[in-house]
Amino acid sequence: MRGCGSRLVWLLVLSLAWLGPALGAEDKDEEVIEEEDKEKKEDEVLSDEIKEEDNVLVLHEHNFARALSEHQLLLVEFYAPWCGHCQQLAPAFAQAAAELRNESSPARLAKVDATAQTALATEFGITSYPTLKLFRDGNRTHPLAYTGRAGGIVRWMQRRAGPSATLLQDADIIAAFINSQDLVVVGFFKDLKGEAAQAFFEVATEMVDMTFGVAEAAELFQMYGLSADTVCLFKKFDERQTNFPVDPSRGLDTAELTRLLRIHSLQLVMEFTNETSNEIFGAKIPHHMLLFLNKSSPDQLSLRDSFRAAAGGFRGEVLFVVVDVTGHGADVLPFFGMTAADAPTLRLVKMESNRKYRMEQDNFSDSAIRTFIQAVLDGKVKPHLLSAEPPEDWDTRPVKVLVGKTFEQVAFDETKNVFVKFYAPWCPHCQAMAAAWEELAERYKDREDIVIAEMDSTANELENITIHGYPTLHYFPAGPGRKMIEFKSNRDVETFSKFLENGGTLPEEPPVSEARGHPPAQGCPQLLLDGDREGVCVHPCLTAAFSR
C-alpha cells in the first residue's frame, strides 16, 4: 500500500513537472496577447486620425494640432461627460455643426472631453464646463471665448468665416439693403482699411443679431447727408436714421458704439410681450419706466402719447415700457403687488436693486412723468415697498411667517437669534429645502432665544435688505449692534443646526457645488444656461415674474 501510495505521489509530481511548462507557456501567451491589445489601443490613441460624431470632430491631445492645421476656424467645446449643461448643449451643438458643414463653411465644430484630456484642459485654462473656444488659422495661443447662446453659434461663426459687413457700392444696392430689414447698420468710411473702419468690422463681427453694411463711395456719403466717417442706424420705426459720427481725434470706440447701437435699436417705447421681453432685459438699461394700462380701454390706450413724449429725454438711461394688464403683462402684476384694477398706473424700477417707485398721485402728462423720473434719479423719492398682511397665526407655528410690516420687530429683536429664509413660492430650490426648514424649526421650537422664520420676498420688500436670489438665508444674532450674516453652505438640517449652535459660523465645508454633484472648481458657467450654478434662482427685476 505504501508503495502504491509512493507511486501516486510521484505520478502527481511528475504530472505537475510535465504540465508546468505548458501552463506557464499558456500564461505567457495571455500576457503577450494582453500586451499586444494594449499596444494596439495606445497606437489608436496616439494616432492623429480625426473621427466625427454627429458632424462634430472628436479631438484629443494627439490629433488636436492636426485639426487646427486643417481647419481655418475651429470652435472647440471643452466638456465633462457628467455635466448636465454639456448634455443639454449637445443636440444644439451637433445641429450647428451640421449647418456649417452643409453650407461648405471653413468653420467647423469640435469637442474635447476635458476630464480625460487633462493636458489640453490645463493648456487652455479650462475650469468650468462647457467652455467654448475659437481657434483661428491654427493659432493655439490666443483662442477666443464664445459666451453666447447655443442658438447663436452658427451666425457667430459665419461672421468670422466671411465678411462681417456687406460692401454697398452704389445707390440702388444701399437702398435695397436698408429696406431689406426693419433695422440695419451701415458704416460710411472714406478709407475701408483705416482704423475706424477696422473697429467697425470688429463690432459687426460680435453683434451677430444685427445686419451690417459698409460704404465708401463719395456719392453715398452725399446721398445720406454725411461729410465725414459716420455709423448710421437705419430703422423702420421711430426716427428713421440715427447717426453716430466718428470722433476724428479719438477714433471709433467699439464698446461705446456697441452700447449706442443696443440702446437705439430698441423702440423709444417698448410694449412688453413674449417676443420683446428678451430685448427689454438684454438692453441692460439701468431704469425701466412702466405704464400699466388696459389696452381694451380707449381712454387708457391714449395715455401712450404723453408717455412717449416723455421718453425722448431719457434714452439710454430709462427704458419706457407699456404693460398690458389684460395681456402678457398680467403675469407681472404680482411682482408689483398690483391687480388689473390698478391700471392705469406708473412705476419706475431700478434694475440693479429691484427698487420700485410710484408717483404719489398718478399724473399722466409728459411733464409730470419727466419730473417724477428726474426726482427718482436725483434720490429725492423713497422706494415703494411691498408688504403683505401678516397671517393671524404667523407666530403660532414653528416657522414664523414674516411680512414687510413685521420684519423689523422680529428680526431686530436683540434678545433673539433669528434665522430667516427669504424665498419665492415658485422657486424649485426653495421648495426642495422647505421640509428641512420645517424640521429645523421643529427642533428649536422650545428654544426661547432662537427664531426660525421665513418671508415671501416676491410679496414683501425691505428698505435696507435687497434679495437678489432665492432662497437667501440671513442670520440676525442676538445682542446690540447686531450684524446680519448670510448663510452659504449645504441646505440640510444638520448643517443649519451646526450653524446655529456655533453662533452663526461654520467650520470649513466643501463648496456647495461639490455637494450638488459638481467637482469643486468645475461648476458650470453662465454660458448657455437657463438654470443656475449654486442652487439659487436669480431673476433681475421683472424676470422673477416672467420666469414662472
Side-chain angles (χ1 to χ4, degrees):
M1 292 290 295
R2 279 191 302 175
C4 184
S6 298
R7 281 195 295 269
L8 286 172
V9 171
W10 275 106
L11 284 171
L12 178 60
V13 171
L14 289 170
S15 297
L16 289 173
W18 177 72
L19 289 171
L23 289 171
E26 187 172 315
D27 287 343
K28 186 176 180 181
D29 288 344
E30 287 180 358
E31 289 176 4
V32 169
I33 293 170
E34 288 177 2
E35 188 66 28
E36 288 175 351
D37 287 343
K38 183 179 178 182
E39 289 177 0
K40 185 177 180 182
K41 289 179 180 177
E42 286 180 354
D43 288 341
E44 290 177 358
V45 171
L46 291 172
S47 170
D48 67 353
E49 179 185 358
I50 300 174
K51 296 182 179 180
E52 295 186 17
E53 292 178 2
D54 296 327
N55 296 295
V56 177
L57 308 181
V58 181
L59 304 184
H60 47 73
E61 59 184 278
H62 301 294
N63 65 8
F64 197 85
R66 176 180 172 180
L68 293 186
S69 67
E70 291 181 355
H71 301 287
Q72 178 186 351
L73 291 168
L74 190 64
L75 182 66
V76 180
E77 177 203 1
F78 295 87
Y79 72 96
W82 46 257
C83 171
H85 299 302
C86 302
Q87 294 163 10
Q88 292 174 14
L89 171 61
F93 199 69
Q95 182 179 345
E99 288 184 37
L100 290 169
R101 188 166 189 178
N102 290 339
E103 65 184 30
S104 300
S105 170
R108 292 297 304 272
L109 304 190
K111 63 182 180 179
V112 170
D113 179 352
T115 64
Q117 303 301 317
T118 54
L120 292 176
T122 300
E123 179 181 356
F124 301 116
I126 307 302
T127 58
S128 58
Y129 312 118
T131 293
L132 274 61
K133 290 183 179 290
L134 175 68
F135 297 84
R136 181 189 289 272
D137 299 324
N139 188 330
R140 65 193 292 161
T141 58
H142 296 93
L144 179 66
Y146 177 78
T147 57
R149 291 283 177 182
I153 289 175
V154 171
R155 196 163 183 183
W156 192 80
M157 294 293 283
Q158 288 171 335
R159 286 286 173 92
R160 282 154 179 79
S164 58
T166 303
L167 179 61
L168 309 170
Q169 296 176 306
D170 59 44
D172 291 338
I173 292 175
I174 194 170
F177 181 82
I178 292 171
N179 289 325
S180 65
Q181 298 185 40
D182 289 344
L183 185 150
V184 298
V185 183
V186 179
F188 294 83
F189 299 98
K190 295 183 178 179
D191 179 8
L192 293 184
K193 295 183 179 179
E195 290 185 6
Q198 295 307 307
F200 176 79
F201 289 131
E202 287 182 28
V203 173
T205 299
E206 294 300 325
M207 299 186 72
V208 297
D209 55 337
M210 292 188 186
T211 301
F212 287 75
V214 66
E216 64 175 342
E219 60 269 23
L220 300 183
F221 276 72
Q222 297 173 2
M223 182 176 176
Y224 292 96
L226 307 172
S227 58
D229 287 358
T230 305
V231 176
C232 296
L233 181 63
F234 294 95
K235 300 178 285 188
K236 292 183 179 179
F237 53 87
D238 296 336
E239 67 279 17
R240 299 293 173 167
Q241 178 179 336
T242 304
N243 297 339
F244 307 107
V246 176
D247 188 301
S249 58
R250 293 190 299 111
L252 193 153
D253 185 292
T254 56
E256 178 63 9
L257 178 60
T258 299
R259 187 186 72 84
L260 290 172
L261 291 176
R262 288 287 178 214
I263 290 169
H264 289 269
S265 66
L266 298 174
Q267 295 185 38
L268 185 61
V269 176
M270 303 283 291
E271 180 176 348
F272 174 63
T273 66
N274 189 46
E275 292 74 27
T276 62
S277 59
N278 287 337
E279 288 183 80
I280 290 171
F281 295 103
K284 297 181 180 178
I285 294 177
H287 307 89
H288 289 183
M289 185 66 184
L290 310 176
L291 169 60
F292 293 87
L293 53 76
N294 185 333
K295 286 184 69 175
S296 63
S297 166
D299 289 340
Q300 293 190 27
L301 204 56
S302 67
L303 299 175
R304 292 184 303 181
D305 294 337
S306 55
F307 192 62
R308 171 179 289 276
F314 296 98
R315 190 153 210 171
E317 188 172 19
V318 181
L319 181 64
F320 282 62
V321 182
V322 172
V323 181
D324 180 11
V325 298
T326 61
H328 189 63
D331 290 337
V332 178
L333 297 176
F335 184 72
F336 291 88
M338 293 166 43
T339 67
D342 293 314
T345 189
L346 296 160
R347 296 289 188 277
L348 187 143
V349 182
K350 287 189 175 181
M351 299 299 290
E352 184 179 8
S353 64
N354 285 353
R355 289 285 181 257
K356 309 172 189 69
Y357 299 81
R358 175 185 176 179
M359 295 174 69
E360 290 187 8
Q361 183 176 358
D362 285 327
N363 183 334
F364 298 96
S365 70
D366 58 320
S367 60
I369 293 172
R370 282 194 296 266
T371 300
F372 169 70
I373 293 174
Q374 194 59 55
V376 173
L377 298 182
D378 293 340
K380 297 178 180 179
V381 180
K382 285 191 173 184
H384 176 70
L385 301 175
L386 298 179
S387 178
E389 291 300 320
E392 291 184 4
D393 61 346
W394 72 270
D395 63 345
T396 62
R397 293 177 290 172
V399 176
K400 312 306 177 187
V401 180
L402 305 184
V403 297
K405 296 176 180 179
T406 61
F407 182 84
E408 288 193 13
Q409 72 183 63
V410 177
F412 297 160
D413 183 344
E414 294 183 355
T415 68
K416 309 287 186 184
N417 297 288
V418 185
F419 202 8
V420 184
K421 174 183 72 174
F422 298 88
Y423 73 97
W426 43 260
C427 166
H429 303 299
C430 303
Q431 296 162 7
M433 69 165 286
W437 201 247
E438 291 286 344
E439 185 179 341
L440 180 72
E442 187 69 30
R443 179 177 294 190
Y444 287 95
K445 67 180 180 180
D446 296 326
R447 286 279 298 268
E448 292 291 333
D449 60 326
I450 292 180
V451 176
I452 307 300
E454 65 182 12
M455 190 175 86
D456 178 356
S457 289
T458 66
N460 300 278
E461 296 171 322
L462 305 171
E463 185 169 359
N464 298 315
I465 300 175
T466 301
I467 304 302
H468 294 287
Y470 310 115
T472 291
L473 307 176
H474 284 316
Y475 177 69
F476 301 84
R482 53 175 37 198
K483 185 177 180 181
M484 181 179 71
I485 301 169
E486 184 173 1
F487 175 89
K488 291 183 177 181
S489 189
N490 298 335
R491 300 179 195 137
D492 59 78
V493 177
E494 295 309 318
T495 307
F496 291 149
S497 183
K498 190 185 300 183
F499 178 80
L500 289 173
E501 297 295 341
N502 284 278
T505 62
L506 275 174
E508 286 294 323
E509 297 281 353
V512 176
S513 57
E514 184 176 20
R516 297 179 62 223
H518 293 279
Q522 299 175 346
C524 300
Q526 208 60 38
L527 170 72
L528 309 160
L529 309 193
D530 293 319
D532 61 275
R533 273 199 281 188
E534 301 297 342
V536 176
C537 292
V538 180
H539 299 280
C541 190
L542 301 185
T543 50
F546 300 157
S547 66
R548 281 178 288 178

